[in-house]
Amino acid sequence: MKNVLKSVLLTGFLLISASFMSKDKDFSLSIGSISATTLNFEVSNAKNISLSIYSEKGGELFSENLENTESFVKSYDLKSLEMGTYFLVAESDQKVEKYKININYKNEVSIEKKPVSQIKKPVYKITGNVVNMMMEGMRNSAVISVSDFAGNVYYNETKNADGGNLSLTFELNPFNASKYMITVEDEGNVFNKIITLN
């Protein structure tokens, strides 16, 4: 009887752990083959991501949004682009990855298989008027503020990460405002989240 109970508890624990792990998994981008002017890549766990190509000079050349796709393979023909440096940017609710693309004088395409930058974004869980904000992979401190659209600031502090992670909980008062903005400034990146209370 004890062995059966232990097995049931262990199975339940593993199922709960697997459930939490699957909810937290974000997209994964793998660079595939490159033929002269065509870039091929695969994106796994692609739920609500945007893909963009930017020139080094800052102009967006192409963008598309993908919703609720488990996995897909994309090919971009870059033959119309001039010699120079470009970036493939993949962005979800949880992170932004940027890959460097080079086009040489022969119009041949090459891409770095690892992102030149990866930014983790704050993740929010909202229950009624209680907002839990979590941020992973922080290296330094971040400035967090909570304000309403009338300009009232309810919270403004610099917070240090604990082991690279930051977790804060805010209880927003619906009698003060129906909409709030949470702003997170981390290493030059600014993330804004609008919270509308019902």
Side-chain angles (χ1 to χ4, degrees), residues 77-171:
D77 187 354
L78 306 176
K79 69 181 172 190
S80 65
L81 299 180
E82 299 175 358
M83 181 178 81
T85 302
Y86 299 87
F87 296 97
L88 169 64
V89 178
E91 181 173 358
S92 71
D93 290 338
Q94 295 177 335
K95 70 179 177 180
V96 180
E97 288 185 352
K98 184 191 288 189
Y99 296 82
K100 188 175 183 180
I101 302 169
N102 288 305
I103 300 178
N104 66 17
Y105 69 96
K106 294 180 183 178
N107 208 29
E108 295 170 331
V109 174
S110 66
I111 185 167
E112 295 182 15
K113 295 196 179 217
K114 291 189 177 183
V116 293
S117 72
Q118 182 179 32
I119 301 168
K120 297 272 188 165
K121 297 164 76 174
V123 177
Y124 299 90
K125 181 180 176 190
I126 303 166
T127 307
N129 65 324
V130 176
V131 179
N132 294 308
M133 184 204 80
M134 290 130 317
M135 202 161 169
E136 297 178 346
M138 288 178 54
R139 292 181 289 220
N140 296 309
S141 60
V143 178
I144 294 97
S145 64
V146 178
S147 59
D148 63 22
F149 285 83
N152 299 310
V153 177
Y154 300 96
Y155 183 89
N156 188 11
E157 288 195 26
T158 300
K159 290 291 192 179
N160 293 316
D162 181 19
N165 299 321
L166 178 64
S167 180
L168 294 172
T169 301
F170 301 103
E171 187 170 347

